[in-house]
Amino acid sequence: YEVCSGLFTNIGELDNNRYYLSTITANWEDAKIISEDNNGHLVTISNDAENSLVGQHYTGGNYIWIGLFQNTNSPEFSEPYGGWEWVTGEPLDFTSWGNGEPNDNLGNSNEQYVFLEWQENQNYIWIDAEGDDLWRFALELEKGCTDPTASNFQDYVYADDGSCLYDYELELHSGANLVSFYALPEDSSVPNILAPLGDNVSGVITEGGASSYNSGEWQGSITNISCTKGYWIILDASDTLTVYDAVPCSNEYCLHV
């Protein structure tokens, strides 16, 4: 189905993500490529539960490559602590380094990749290593946004989960502009939606309501923008309204600019 059954064994599911352990060994770079060819990526670990799910499959000496590497091109790179990144680019908010790790073999080698193992009194820990050794590796499959036009597109996910967000622009002229919105962010308040216009906007009007912008504050009966209404936006000069991280509306007003 999503992965080659001859290469991986399913080891569990956590927070709707699926995890697999390879039945083959590979160096870190090949493990990364094989994982991406199977609709996922080398595992990225963000909490103890995820660390344990993978780590419990460690057996003596059979280390497990994970998706952490040291980016030598990063402005934060320094040995041995700087420049560590996940293959997906997600934040490195959780770590499980072993005692004295990472250590770049005390400066004697280029240990820029990470494997997971178990050690007594330390539990499941990470060790930095050179990437040439042939070890098993953990594959993670995630759901996410698969639309390349979305602002939060993730090229490493295997299935869409409806989380895509979009940025779009409305070109406005001076005076009154009749517009509607086909997608809105979670915060659809008037101050948030119209913030990109700054002091160039003086008011907004819709059926049964109006608000004005004075001295940096919005006042009036319109507090939130809706997809099901049209709005007159009043500008002092031509401008572009950019809507960020918007979710497409399930029902919308027919008019757009």
Side-chain angles (χ1 to χ4, degrees), residues 102-202:
N103 59 23
D104 198 39
N105 193 23
L106 302 179
N108 295 318
S109 60
N110 295 317
E111 296 189 337
Q112 291 160 356
Y113 307 94
V114 177
F115 66 79
L116 184 153
E117 68 164 318
W118 179 88
Q119 288 187 13
E120 190 172 358
N121 300 322
Q122 293 192 69
N123 211 346
Y124 305 118
I125 59 171
W126 304 352
I127 309 292
D128 65 337
E130 295 185 16
D132 296 333
D133 290 307
L134 303 180
W135 292 325
R136 295 184 302 169
F137 50 97
L139 163 70
E140 180 177 1
L141 269 62
E142 297 187 46
K143 293 182 179 181
C145 176
T146 62
D147 184 351
T149 67
S151 60
N152 62 332
F153 168 62
Q154 300 157 291
D155 61 2
Y156 54 83
V157 302
Y158 78 96
D160 198 277
D161 64 357
S163 65
C164 289
L165 303 174
Y166 298 88
D167 300 340
Y168 64 97
E169 296 181 343
L170 299 176
E171 297 296 333
L172 308 178
H173 55 75
S174 61
N177 298 262
L178 181 58
V179 304
S180 62
F181 297 83
Y182 60 86
L184 288 169
E186 182 177 355
D187 180 358
S188 62
S189 66
V190 169
N192 183 60
I193 298 298
L194 300 185
L197 299 174
D199 293 335
N200 191 28
V201 62
S202 59

Side-chain angles (χ1 to χ4, degrees), residues 85-96:
E85 299 179 3
W86 290 118
V87 290
T88 58
E90 62 193 85
L92 180 58
D93 294 331
F94 170 88
T95 60
S96 187

Side-chain angles (χ1 to χ4, degrees), residues 178-179 203-211 221-226 228-233 253:
L178 181 58
V179 304
V204 58
I205 302 170
T206 191
E207 183 178 359
S211 289
S221 59
I222 305 176
T223 57
N224 289 277
I225 298 295
S226 169
T228 60
K229 292 184 177 182
Y231 296 87
W232 288 99
I233 298 176
Y253 195 74

